[in-house]
Amino acid sequence: MNFVEELRWRGMLHDMMPGTEELLAKEQVTAYIGFDPTADSLHIGHLCSVMILRHFQRCGHKPLALIGGATGMIGDPSGKSAERNLLTEETLRHNIEGMKRQLSKFLDFDSDAPNHAELVNNYDWMKDYTFLDFAREVGKHITVNYMMAKDSVKKRLNGEARDGLSFTEFTYQLLQGYDFLHLYETKGCKLQMGGSDQWGNITTGAELIRRTNGGEVYALTCPLITKADGGKFGKTESGNVWLDPRYTSPYKFYQFWLNVSDEDAKRYIKIFTALSKEEVEALTAEHEAAPHLRVLQKRLAKEVTVMVHSEDDYNAALEASNILFGGGTSEALRKLDEATLLSVFEGVPQFEVSRDALGAGVKAVDLLTEQAPVFSSKGEMRKLVQGGGVSLNKEKLAAFDRVVTTGDLLDDKYLLVQRGKKNYYLIIAK
């Protein structure tokens, strides 16, 4: 596989230095992408970079995932309007462990293949580096004029930030540049990759290498992923879409991809899956013939959920979706864990009832009009039950006076009432 061609057809290539493609065709190349350890999980904003490293390894080259343990203590000014909080060593160590676990799902770190992936942390080579050494060995090679010309610096200095640009952040491009130099000297790394907003930082590293030892190194960037409507990719009303199920449940993760627009699905299926060009073209043609079936969204959601989580998590998310939108069964509902149940029915009206009352048993008609007023009157409820329009835990309520007990509770805590086809209510026993 030709790595550059692979990125090109997938829409994942923004810019590269002259000679990059020729280098990749000539030899096995070592390249790195940096990740900021600002949290103990990656989010889908990182996923394009992760996929680039994955394609890079599949094409026979050697990927390095650099965790910015040192640079993460400072914060990159690129694309930011305010300085970030500095992280403690303990927090960084915790975050790095979480990120390594996630990256291991995408990259082969453990085999004895010559192109096995490696995780490197710039804190390891920066922690004992004194300021005087840095000023002498790095600072003297790059002029302030050169640094000031970078877009990330100019934007901050031209009033896009409330508090200007601190010296700490100003030095960020030198620190990142030194990472490239260090990896070039210790790992034979000749290529740095990243998002298009990193071009300035990457080229500073290439310039530092050229000026210190005349080495020839290269740069390649991918476009920043956006939504078709111009909105920011990966952000929802509740914040980032995380890869860690503790922060974004597999069900919500699956729903995010399932709900992207047709235009976005056509781009994202190339960027965020390993499907071949032929498979993508066939799926796109099938989708365009019957857009209402949402073939692209369904396949995209499946591929990414299985890749990030597991086949079991995908199946559970699919089953949970069917419960909400396609009917589902009582048995499937009972199989949902509490976190998924709450994700699926987030935002539906909720009522709290006394667990003691359920222990003694309560008629459904009393429960659903007095204690949890799903219906405004007993007459209204009777009429709907007789018409087969009321379900309890996905089973049709045959009698309005059926006794409900704690034995009916889902996860020993919840009752799900469905009124008509689309109206759900969650009753919580406390």
Side-chain angles (χ1 to χ4, degrees), residues 250 305-306 309-318:
T305 305
V306 169
H309 296 292
S310 70
E311 187 93 36
D312 286 346
D313 286 321
Y314 160 71
N315 288 329
L318 191 61

Side-chain angles (χ1 to χ4, degrees), residues 2-219:
N2 179 309
F3 176 63
V4 172
E5 277 306 310
E6 188 72 10
L7 294 193
R8 200 171 266 138
W9 82 260
R10 290 182 182 277
M12 296 170 78
L13 184 64
H14 184 265
D15 211 348
M16 61 181 168
M17 277 186 185
T20 305
E21 196 163 1
E22 291 77 3
L23 173 78
L24 289 161
K26 189 174 67 179
E27 60 187 75
Q28 183 190 98
V29 176
T30 299
Y32 85 95
I33 292 180
F35 297 90
D36 260 343
T38 44
D40 64 353
S41 170
L42 298 168
H43 53 73
I44 60 172
H46 295 114
L47 212 44
C48 182
S49 292
V50 174
M51 293 303 290
I52 284 176
L53 287 179
R54 193 180 196 202
H55 292 310
F56 192 68
Q57 190 171 41
R58 286 173 67 223
C59 290
H61 300 293
K62 182 177 176 69
L64 305 176
L66 180 140
I67 306 291
T71 39
M73 287 179 153
I74 292 173
D76 180 3
S78 304
K80 308 289 189 302
S81 59
E83 187 157 348
R84 287 193 298 212
N85 295 330
L86 307 186
L87 301 174
T88 65
E89 234 182 285
E90 188 185 349
T91 303
L92 281 167
R93 267 199 306 272
H94 170 74
N95 290 354
I96 289 163
E97 279 304 306
M99 292 169 76
K100 168 76 188 283
R101 276 196 305 276
Q102 290 176 337
L103 287 166
S104 297
K105 289 189 171 185
F106 300 87
L107 302 171
D108 168 20
F109 286 97
D110 301 321
S111 78
D112 52 7
N115 70 327
H116 71 272
E118 288 184 48
L119 188 82
V120 292
N121 178 2
N122 61 14
Y123 185 70
D124 293 339
W125 57 83
M126 291 305 303
K127 65 177 184 289
D128 299 321
Y129 204 10
T130 70
F131 180 75
L132 286 176
D133 287 340
F134 188 77
R136 284 169 59 87
E137 295 168 23
V138 178
K140 69 172 184 164
H141 291 290
I142 302 290
T143 66
V144 169
N145 310 52
Y146 179 89
M147 294 171 73
M148 296 279 283
K150 300 292 182 185
D151 280 347
S152 59
V153 173
K154 280 198 292 196
K155 284 179 181 172
R156 290 287 292 273
L157 290 176
N158 291 342
E160 286 193 16
R162 291 187 304 275
D163 305 317
L165 181 71
S166 71
F167 173 75
T168 305
E169 282 192 303
F170 183 57
T171 59
Y172 186 92
Q173 61 175 293
L174 286 185
L175 288 167
Q176 187 170 324
Y178 181 68
D179 289 341
F180 201 176
L181 174 61
H182 178 84
L183 293 174
Y184 173 73
E185 292 177 342
T186 60
K187 303 277 186 189
C189 178
K190 293 183 182 177
L191 174 63
Q192 185 182 166
M193 304 185 289
S196 57
D197 61 333
Q198 292 298 311
W199 183 258
N201 290 333
I202 296 173
T203 51
T204 296
E207 185 66 10
L208 179 63
I209 292 166
R210 189 184 68 76
R211 292 185 186 188
T212 50
N213 57 32
E216 278 293 322
V217 293
Y218 300 88

Side-chain angles (χ1 to χ4, degrees), residues 121-381:
N121 178 2
N122 61 14
Y123 185 70
D124 293 339
W125 57 83
M126 291 305 303
K127 65 177 184 289
D128 299 321
Y129 204 10
T130 70
F131 180 75
L132 286 176
D133 287 340
F134 188 77
R136 284 169 59 87
E137 295 168 23
V138 178
K140 69 172 184 164
H141 291 290
I142 302 290
T143 66
V144 169
N145 310 52
Y146 179 89
M147 294 171 73
M148 296 279 283
K150 300 292 182 185
D151 280 347
S152 59
V153 173
K154 280 198 292 196
K155 284 179 181 172
R156 290 287 292 273
L157 290 176
N158 291 342
E160 286 193 16
R162 291 187 304 275
D163 305 317
L165 181 71
S166 71
F167 173 75
T168 305
E169 282 192 303
F170 183 57
T171 59
Y172 186 92
Q173 61 175 293
L174 286 185
L175 288 167
Q176 187 170 324
Y178 181 68
D179 289 341
F180 201 176
L181 174 61
H182 178 84
L183 293 174
Y184 173 73
E185 292 177 342
T186 60
K187 303 277 186 189
C189 178
K190 293 183 182 177
L191 174 63
Q192 185 182 166
M193 304 185 289
S196 57
D197 61 333
Q198 292 298 311
W199 183 258
N201 290 333
I202 296 173
T203 51
T204 296
E207 185 66 10
L208 179 63
I209 292 166
R210 189 184 68 76
R211 292 185 186 188
T212 50
N213 57 32
E216 278 293 322
V217 293
Y218 300 88
L220 181 151
T221 59
C222 62
L224 295 181
I225 310 302
T226 56
K227 294 196 291 190
D229 63 10
K232 190 167 182 183
F233 167 75
K235 291 280 188 186
T236 65
E237 285 177 16
S238 52
N240 286 321
V241 178
W242 298 95
L243 306 196
D244 192 313
R246 291 174 303 161
Y247 306 133
T248 301
S249 70
Y251 168 77
K252 274 193 177 171
F253 186 84
Y254 169 78
Q255 284 293 324
F256 172 83
W257 298 101
L258 193 63
N259 289 317
V260 300
S261 70
D262 287 357
E263 282 309 303
D264 287 336
K266 285 173 193 172
R267 288 187 304 126
Y268 295 170
I269 200 152
K270 296 177 189 173
I271 297 168
F272 299 110
T273 77
L275 295 175
S276 69
K277 189 176 185 181
E278 293 72 27
E279 286 175 295
V280 168
E281 285 172 351
L283 281 165
T284 304
E286 192 183 340
H287 179 90
E288 285 174 349
H292 63 285
L293 297 178
R294 298 177 70 75
V295 170
L296 275 179
Q297 284 92 335
K298 287 174 183 174
R299 186 61 182 275
L300 171 68
K302 177 181 180 177
E303 292 289 325
V304 187
T305 305
V306 169
M307 181 174 63
V308 170
H309 296 292
S310 70
E311 187 93 36
D312 286 346
D313 286 321
Y314 160 71
N315 288 329
L318 191 61
E319 219 164 55
S321 293
N322 287 338
I323 287 166
L324 186 58
F325 302 111
T329 64
S330 174
E331 186 188 359
L333 180 66
R334 288 189 178 278
K335 278 200 287 187
L336 295 186
D337 59 79
E338 183 176 11
T340 306
L341 178 77
L342 292 175
S343 283
V344 174
F345 296 104
E346 184 180 22
V348 308
Q350 296 184 0
F351 300 102
E352 287 184 9
V353 300
S354 158
R355 190 182 179 85
D356 293 341
L358 286 180
V362 58
K363 288 180 180 177
V365 69
D366 296 330
L367 176 68
L368 300 181
T369 56
E370 294 167 5
Q371 296 170 33
V374 171
F375 299 94
S376 55
S377 70
K378 293 181 179 182
E380 181 196 12
M381 185 189 161

